[in-house]
Amino acid sequence: MTASQLEIVSHSPAETAAIGEAIAGSLRNGDLVLLHGDLGAGKTTLAKGIASALGVAGVVSSPSFSLVNEYDTRHGAITRLYHLDLYRLRTEDDLASIGFDDFTAPGEGITLVEWPERASTVLPDRFLLVEIEPLGSGGRRLRFVAIPDDEISRRRIESLRSRIASNID
Ligand code: ADP
Ligand code: MG
């Protein structure tokens, strides 16, 4: 594993949400977080934790029908949360119609994308990838990969490591 990766095991949905809350603390305007994993892996559970830490009012659910949900936050520096779920995207051509490029570097908010592999040819150079893998009996392996593998990404992973450690028992 390189220095710009981090692996942790979550033992429950509540722990996954707590990890999401910890992640939120290291996010800044313009950040893009890709949530990768099969149906039921826990992508939306993690997104809910992030949203909760940003003080998003109301229930964050998978934006399955609209592809994009937008929320106002109650967080000083980050004012908007964009939550995309590309599961129902038919072709990458449809990304243009939802203005995908605008979400990959949001000026005043952060963007979470479920099923980012649907947009693999139009991803920007810098993002945080979270791969979620079921382990059985409610466990999930979460692998954080900061792209590209450079100094900024290494610092980002170090920040995540300490925030997650202090938010999880
Ligand atoms: P996705 O968005 O990846 O399809 P969801 O977050 O909507 O997945 O659903 C994950 C499901 O798996 C939920 O029913 C949740 O209760 C369950 N689950 C069990 N263990 C975990 C865990 N450790 N982390 C996240 N979800 C878990
Ligand atoms: Mg989901």
Side-chain angles (χ1 to χ4, degrees), residues 17-18 23 35 47 52 58 63 76 79 127:
I23 297 171
L35 304 173
S52 148
T79 53
F127 52 83

Side-chain angles (χ1 to χ4, degrees), residues 10-13 16 38-45 114 138 140:
S10 160
H11 304 89
S12 68
T16 298
D38 280 342
L39 215 54
K43 302 180 293 298
T44 301
T45 304
E114 298 189 35
R140 302 286 191 270

